[in-house]
Amino acid sequence: MGANLQINGITHTFGRTAEPVLKDLQLDITAGQSVALIGESGCGKSTLLHMLAGLLMPTEGCVRVNGRQITRPHADWNMMFQRPALYPWLSVKQNVALGLQFTGQKQGLRERVREMLQLVGLSDRRDDRIQDLSGGQQQRVALARSLAVEPQMILLDEPFSALDAFTRRGLQVEVGRIARDRGITLVLVTHDIDEALTMGDRVVVMGRNPGTFRDVVDVPLAYPRNPVHPDFMRLRSQVMARFEASIDTPASDKPRSDQPVSEPTFREESAHVQL
Amino acid sequence: MSTTETARIGAGLPPLGQLMRGGLANLLYPVAGLGLLLAVWWYGGYLVASNPATQAFAGFAPGPALSATWTLVTSGTLASIVMPSLSRIGQGLLWAVVIGVPLGILVGSLPFLRKLTNFPFQLLRMVSPLAWMPVAVLAFSTWNGAIIFLIFMASVWPILFSTAFGVQRIDPMYYKVARNFGASPLATLRRLVVPAVAPDMLAGFRLALGVAWVVLVPAEYLGVTSGLGYAINDARDILAYDLLAALVLVIGVIGFLLDTAVVSLIRYFGWQGS
Ligand SMILES: Nc1ncnc2c1ncn2[C@@H]1O[C@H](COP(=O)(O)OP(=O)(O)O)[C@@H](O)[C@H]1O
Ligand SMILES: [Mg+2]
């Protein structure tokens, strides 16, 4: 069963004197829902995700899961990182079992690992060393490792961004399907609008300096989503427009010296959808 | 060597001729090297024996030495000489691991402790283990205890430093993964830190074994009436130079075997290779 997630007035400042990185974030995510957060690099996406995972405490506000405030990490909600960070001294199946071992669950461990390997299609690689797997296969192992502890919520921090386009697309579809089948709540951080639209029931557009939620776009498309379907493309333009708007209207009137609004290369890139 | 071997196995069986050539080439150098050593030894022995001034030391030559070695092995005295030495080495190394590994993990994980201990540890490390001899004799009621202490003093540093180095090298993401699953500190130690540093720790252990083995013989000149060091001293006193040479040979061979055993341990636990 998925978790109800409540982001409750979060403001965060690193250190004492610095400007806040995140400001007044408010969002409710119902159990089993999938939400994609998009925003420029440095807008605080990873910071927020670490808070949802209980790896970092916000300076103001709180995160609630099923009504209870999160104060530390827990296997019921775990995070998948950009790098799979598998342990190289363990085999594929031992890596999948790792979360279970960390949480001290011994019962039915073998069966669970076998089931997870089957789920991610790596049964025949179970005894391999992880160094012998491709990047996509390694991320599958990390997915199996996350799923093995039967989490209520999975937090994904740009987990596919290091993969080639085909592998990435395959994993986006697969992770979304698995999460829906199991009713797992998903929060996905990405800077790829297509990824957000492929996986999210909702897309949250973030602004930066400080990081805020600018816009929430509902994605009322059936799964699996077809990126060349007219509805998909219409939504893509819509999200893109909101995204552009979030860049053009900085929340603070401070000059943004590090990323000029009218930087031409940025425009050029945004025309290719992947930001 | 292991890389090429794995590659060869991975590529399927090579033709027989190639295997023969590879196998022979692998054997050729060690055998030739050993032969060269024997030749130098034999020639040295010949020089010593043919010079009237040094004729008394003719027992050092390969002939008498090897026959003394044979007697040593077949009479069973070898075991009674070697066992006490191995026991001391074992105990000294055991203490070095028991103290060096946890301390290394602490020093590696806590930056303030690393900064605090760096200078004193480097200083202590540079003291020759044998310089501790008078201290050891005062501090321990038995000679045996003193020798084990000296071996410990020689071998704790490589183990401690390699372990600390290994801990510092652990990818911070690995800790994040552990924390992410709500792992307890103990589980993190057991499932992450210990396996992660195992290769570095074993590399340190190999160095430790090397210095311990070197320190053992002079340490056994102390008080005790057993072990390789004592036997060498004894052989010298009774002018049994063939026996002395045999013991030197035995020390070399056993040291080599111990090192080989540790190398295979490193192979077994090593996950960093290729
Ligand atoms: N531990 C930290 N200490 C200080 N500043 C940090 C820390 N982590 C992140 N930041 C800053 O917070 C901002 C948001 O970072 P991050 O959450 O990683 O952004 P994103 O994931 O959206 O690219 C950045 O300006 C970054 O420099
Ligand atoms: Mg980030």
Side-chain angles (χ1 to χ4, degrees):
Chain A
M1 196 49 215
N4 283 295
L5 177 71
Q6 201 183 0
I7 298 169
N8 205 345
I10 283 184
T11 293
H12 189 73
T13 312
F14 285 110
R16 274 164 200 278
T17 51
E19 295 288 307
V21 168
L22 297 171
K23 199 161 163 52
D24 297 330
L25 301 185
Q26 193 77 39
L27 189 71
D28 283 1
I29 300 172
T30 54
Q33 208 182 31
S34 147
V35 170
L37 296 172
I38 59 167
E40 282 179 277
S41 182
C43 74
K45 304 183 296 292
S46 296
T47 305
L48 176 61
L49 219 55
H50 279 74
M51 286 169 185
L52 303 188
L55 290 164
L56 180 69
M57 292 302 289
T59 42
E60 272 174 59
C62 67
V63 178
R64 292 178 190 279
V65 170
N66 298 330
R68 289 193 33 212
Q69 187 178 342
I70 293 184
T71 51
R72 59 195 153 108
H74 193 285
D76 280 352
W77 43 90
N78 70 65
M79 190 155 165
M80 270 182 75
F81 307 97
Q82 182 171 1
R83 267 201 302 138
L86 303 173
Y87 289 0
W89 55 89
L90 299 178
S91 67
V92 167
K93 66 170 186 232
Q94 289 169 327
N95 266 289
V96 174
L98 192 67
L100 293 166
Q101 287 174 328
F102 273 141
T103 51
Q105 299 174 50
K106 291 199 183 76
Q107 251 191 354
L109 185 139
R110 275 164 186 273
E111 290 72 45
R112 186 82 62 77
V113 169
R114 194 176 309 136
E115 185 198 339
M116 289 305 134
L117 282 170
Q118 202 156 18
L119 189 66
V120 299
L122 286 172
S123 294
D124 54 333
R125 308 299 300 268
R126 70 177 80 88
D127 294 311
D128 285 10
R129 303 187 318 163
I130 56 131
Q131 296 94 315
D132 298 334
L133 300 185
S134 70
Q137 288 168 330
Q138 291 191 13
Q139 205 52 282
R140 278 167 197 274
V141 176
L143 174 65
R145 179 180 67 186
S146 282
L147 289 169
V149 296
E150 301 196 315
Q152 302 176 9
M153 176 165 81
I154 293 186
L155 309 161
L156 304 128
D157 193 357
E158 306 186 14
F160 314 125
S161 56
L163 306 175
D164 67 84
F166 295 106
T167 312
R168 188 187 320 148
R169 167 95 188 133
L171 269 169
Q172 286 163 355
V173 171
E174 198 172 323
V175 171
R177 181 179 53 76
I178 291 171
R180 279 191 303 283
D181 285 353
R182 300 178 172 238
I184 298 170
T185 309
L186 273 193
V187 181
L188 164 77
V189 154
T190 180
H191 49 219
D192 175 350
I193 292 179
D194 273 6
E195 182 165 290
L197 288 171
T198 300
M199 298 183 68
D201 296 328
R202 282 194 288 168
V203 175
V204 176
V205 180
M206 285 182 74
R208 69 169 213 171
N209 278 333
T212 49
F213 291 158
R214 287 299 175 79
D215 249 310
V216 180
V217 180
D218 281 317
V219 187
L221 302 177
Y223 294 100
R225 288 167 178 171
N226 178 357
V228 292
H229 191 280
D231 290 342
F232 191 102
M233 303 214 280
R234 192 174 39 74
L235 270 162
R236 180 195 288 150
S237 321
Q238 193 184 331
V239 171
M240 178 83 81
R242 308 278 179 100
F243 191 87
E244 294 284 301
S246 83
I247 294 166
D248 288 341
T249 52
S252 68
D253 39 11
K254 238 168 25 91
R256 294 160 16 99
S257 53
D258 51 345
Q259 176 110 50
V261 175
S262 55
E263 197 188 338
T265 53
F266 183 72
R267 297 277 165 201
E268 212 171 287
E269 270 170 23
S270 61
H272 295 131
V273 175
Q274 306 220 341
L275 298 166
Chain B
M1 167 187 145
S2 67
T3 338
T4 54
E5 263 174 17
T6 324
R8 209 186 293 147
I9 292 163
L13 283 178
L16 194 62
Q18 198 184 325
L19 196 72
M20 290 290 286
R21 258 177 281 132
L24 283 181
N26 282 348
L27 259 179
L28 188 66
Y29 287 102
V31 168
L34 217 55
L36 199 65
L37 181 66
L38 258 177
V40 171
W41 185 10
W42 175 84
Y43 185 64
Y46 167 78
L47 288 182
V48 167
S50 53
N51 184 343
T54 56
Q55 220 160 25
F57 302 108
F60 276 122
L66 288 174
S67 98
T69 310
W70 181 250
T71 319
L72 209 56
V73 174
T74 50
S75 67
T77 33
L78 182 67
S80 66
I81 292 172
V82 169
M83 279 311 160
S85 289
L86 285 182
S87 155
R88 286 172 196 133
I89 279 278
Q91 290 178 67
L93 283 173
L94 185 69
W95 280 111
V97 169
V98 163
I99 291 173
V101 170
L103 212 56
I105 288 177
L106 276 178
V107 168
S109 355
L110 305 173
F112 86 91
L113 200 61
R114 185 157 61 245
K115 283 181 232 160
L116 185 73
T117 55
N118 183 47
F119 189 61
F121 280 176
Q122 296 290 354
L123 215 133
L124 288 171
R125 182 176 77 105
M126 293 313 288
V127 176
S128 158
L130 295 172
W132 295 104
M133 221 180 249
V135 180
V137 170
L138 279 177
F140 288 83
S141 54
T142 63
W143 291 109
N144 211 40
I147 292 170
I148 291 168
F149 172 75
L150 291 183
I151 292 169
F152 164 79
M153 283 311 280
S155 49
V156 71
W157 305 114
I159 293 177
L160 196 161
F161 285 115
S162 313
T163 305
F165 172 71
V167 172
Q168 281 172 260
R169 273 198 322 166
I170 297 177
D171 186 337
M173 279 300 292
Y174 295 167
Y175 287 107
K176 217 181 221 179
V177 167
R179 280 217 297 143
N180 187 34
F181 284 112
S184 67
L186 204 67
T188 307
L189 184 71
R190 169 159 172 232
R191 307 252 173 225
L192 165 54
V193 180
V194 170
V197 299
D200 288 304
M201 205 189 75
L202 282 169
F205 185 79
R206 186 184 177 194
L207 292 176
L209 177 71
V211 281
W213 193 244
V214 167
V215 165
L216 172 78
V217 170
E220 280 180 340
Y221 291 169
L222 275 176
V224 289
T225 53
S226 62
L228 286 161
Y230 167 77
I232 283 200
N233 239 0
D234 196 45
R236 189 199 56 192
D237 290 348
I238 61 171
L239 310 180
Y241 296 118
D242 55 343
L243 179 59
L244 210 161
L247 287 166
V248 168
L249 192 65
V250 162
I251 288 170
V253 169
I254 294 179
F256 177 79
L257 291 179
L258 288 176
D259 187 66
T260 309
V262 177
V263 168
S264 48
L265 269 185
I266 292 174
R267 287 251 174 78
Y268 184 77
F269 286 104
W271 47 269
Q272 285 163 325
S274 57

